[in-house]
């Protein structure tokens, strides 16, 4: 069982195993980044780790908020089960200065050192990314370019949409290429009155979201204005033109 002590890393399981790894990571980032800065997301498609992921936050408070708010959230038609990870990820341990080689990884390193002595000059092979170790904990090597890109510059891509009178339909712009109907639905379904997402054929950067009334759409608009679906795309929301 996983420990209940607060941790920077949350363990998410009961995930839909049919979702591709890259899409899964993007969708997890989209729904969890609202709680704080994410350092990394680890999702492996091995037989042992299918349907599971680790989300590593910079702050413990962010991990706690995410776990409480998203417990049981319907993610690709399956309710997420979330708990604190049992131990710190390697990424956090290195920041704290408490990092130690563990389990099978340490044995592998010792074998490499022996081989290195036997054949001098040959560089030891790099350990595989996300090596699984005991108790379902995954070794997470730092990958600074995965989700830590610098924020976009002001005046970047995106459409300048004139403000329309409040109504029940929202117009979204500056969406990334990989935006899907499911990804947007998971973001907006958190708000009362959500009805549907409509993508525009041939246009990946815009979409419409409909609510039951203008008060409900306004609440979602205010809450998600500027939300980063990916680290480089801040979503822009306006009322749709009627």
């Amino acid at each position: 069982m996983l420990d209940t002590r607060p941790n920077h890393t949350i363990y998410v399981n009961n995930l839909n195993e049919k979702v591709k790894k890259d899409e899964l990571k993007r969708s997890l980032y989209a729904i969890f980044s609202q709680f704080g800065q994410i350092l990394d997301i680890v999702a492996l498609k091995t037989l042992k780790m299918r349907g599971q992921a680790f989300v590593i936050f910079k702050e413990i408070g962010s991990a706690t908020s995410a776990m409480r708010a998203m417990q049981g959230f319907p993610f690709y038609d399956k309710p997420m089960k979330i708990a604190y990870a049992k131990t710190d990820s390697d990424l956090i341990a290195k920041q704290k200065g408490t990092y130690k080689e563990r389990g099978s990884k340490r044995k592998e390193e010792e074998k490499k050192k022996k081989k290195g002595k036997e054949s001098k000059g040959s560089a030891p092979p790099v350990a595989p990314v996300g090596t699984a170790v005991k108790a379902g904990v995954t070794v997470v090597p730092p990958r600074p370019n995965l989700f830590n890109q610098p924020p976009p510059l002001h005046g970047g891509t995106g459409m300048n949409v004139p403000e329309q009178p409040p109504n029940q339909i929202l117009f979204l712009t500056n969406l990334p290429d990989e935006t899907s109907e499911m990804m947007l639905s998971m973001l907006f379904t958190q708000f009362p009155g959500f009805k549907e997402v409509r993508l525009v054929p041939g246009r990946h950067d815009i979409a419409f979201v409909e609510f039951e009334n203008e008060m409900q759409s306004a609440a979602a608009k205010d809450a998600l204005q500027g939300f980063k679906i990916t680290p480089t795309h801040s979503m822009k929301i306006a009322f749709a033109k009627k």
Side-chain angles (χ1 to χ4, degrees):
M1 281 182 70
L2 294 177
D3 207 316
T4 55
R5 286 178 296 180
N7 195 306
H8 291 80
T9 304
I10 56 173
Y11 168 67
V12 187
N13 68 349
N14 198 41
L15 299 175
N16 193 320
E17 297 178 7
K18 295 179 181 178
V19 182
K20 292 181 179 179
K21 184 173 76 171
D22 290 342
E23 182 182 349
L24 180 68
K25 282 187 174 183
R26 287 195 297 264
S27 297
L28 287 170
Y29 182 90
I31 63 170
F32 280 113
S33 59
Q34 61 185 301
F35 301 102
Q37 184 179 344
I38 293 173
L39 298 180
D40 202 358
I41 293 178
V42 176
L44 303 177
K45 297 299 282 185
T46 60
L47 186 63
K48 184 179 179 181
M49 291 298 295
R50 279 188 305 184
Q52 305 165 67
F54 293 88
V55 182
I56 307 164
F57 287 94
K58 185 177 181 181
E59 304 291 341
I60 288 180
S62 301
T64 300
S65 298
M67 185 178 72
R68 289 174 178 169
M70 304 304 287
Q71 190 72 260
F73 182 80
F75 187 73
Y76 288 98
D77 301 321
K78 293 185 72 175
M80 288 192 293
K81 296 180 180 178
I82 309 173
Y84 292 117
K86 188 175 181 180
T87 61
D88 283 335
S89 70
D90 285 2
L91 197 66
I92 296 298
K94 285 176 179 178
Q95 290 181 359
K96 289 181 177 180
T98 58
Y99 174 74
K100 291 180 181 179
E101 297 288 356
R102 293 186 296 231
S104 59
K105 190 178 179 185
R106 181 167 53 194
K107 292 178 183 177
E108 286 176 15
E109 292 297 331
E110 288 171 358
K111 286 181 183 177
K112 287 171 195 168
K113 287 178 183 177
K114 288 180 182 178
K115 287 182 181 178
K117 288 178 182 177
E118 292 170 3
S119 56
K120 290 182 180 179
S122 61
V126 179
V129 173
T131 307
V133 293
K134 62 182 180 178
V137 177
T138 301
V139 176
V140 187
R143 285 176 285 169
N145 295 326
L146 182 61
F147 289 124
N148 295 342
Q149 295 98 327
L153 298 173
H154 292 294
T157 58
M159 299 171 60
N160 292 321
V161 181
E163 191 63 37
Q164 301 294 327
N167 62 82
Q168 76 271 26
I169 300 175
L170 300 176
F171 179 47
L172 315 183
T173 59
N174 200 37
L175 301 176
D177 292 353
E178 59 267 31
T179 301
S180 66
E181 184 177 339
M182 176 63 73
M183 195 183 291
L184 291 175
S185 294
M186 285 188 295
L187 277 178
F188 284 93
T189 194
Q190 305 172 63
F191 299 93
F194 169 76
K195 290 182 71 175
E196 65 173 347
V197 168
R198 295 196 293 272
L199 300 182
V200 179
R203 292 290 300 273
H204 65 77
D205 57 332
I206 61 176
F208 295 90
V209 181
E210 184 174 356
F211 283 81
E212 291 179 1
N213 60 55
E214 63 188 46
M215 290 181 63
Q216 293 167 332
S217 64
K221 174 177 177 289
D222 292 343
L224 292 176
Q225 187 68 266
F227 180 81
K228 289 187 176 182
I229 291 185
T230 69
T232 54
H233 285 77
S234 296
M235 179 168 59
K236 297 180 180 179
I237 309 176
F239 291 112
K241 187 176 181 180
K242 298 201 77 175

